[in-house]
Every structure is written in structure tokens, then in C-alpha cells.
Amino acid sequence: VIIIFVSLIFLFSKGGASPFAGWATAIPASILTIFMMSIELLVAFIQAFAFTILTASYIGAAVEEHH
């Protein structure tokens, strides 16, 4: 995904012929890339939390003494 956004910068600026078009593409592409990476990091933390809770409840149920 990052490579696609970087290639858009060069595509719209036509190889550096138009610096304004390059910057106009680079800023939104960078912001969108950072946003997507932060969402990916958030999902990774939520996934780690959920699997930790599931593992703890499974181990807790497995070692619980029966009455």
C-alpha cells in the first residue's frame, strides 16, 4: 500500500516536472498512509487483548477445581 501511494506522487508530478503536483499528492498520501498504519496497529492491539482474555479464560476453566 505504501508503494502505491509513493508511486502516485511520481505519477502525478510526471517525474518531477511539476513540484506542486508532487507536493499536492505527497501530503494526502502521507496522511492516508499514517492513518492506515495507525488503524492496523490499533487492530493488532485489540486482537492481542482479545486472544489474551480468551487464553486466560480457557486456562482458568481448565485448572479450576470441580466441586
Side-chain angles (χ1 to χ4, degrees):
V1 172
I2 295 172
I3 294 173
I4 293 170
F5 288 134
V6 171
S7 66
L8 283 176
I9 296 168
F10 292 109
L11 181 69
F12 286 129
S13 68
K14 293 180 181 52
S18 174
F20 175 74
W23 282 106
T25 308
I27 293 172
S30 300
I31 291 171
L32 187 61
T33 302
I34 291 171
F35 175 70
M36 290 175 63
M37 291 176 75
S38 64
I39 287 178
E40 184 178 341
L41 188 64
L42 177 67
V43 168
F45 278 119
I46 291 172
Q47 186 178 17
F49 177 74
F51 282 113
T52 302
I53 295 297
L54 288 171
T55 303
S57 65
Y58 178 74
I59 292 173
V63 297
E64 181 179 297
E65 292 183 19
H66 298 286
H67 296 88

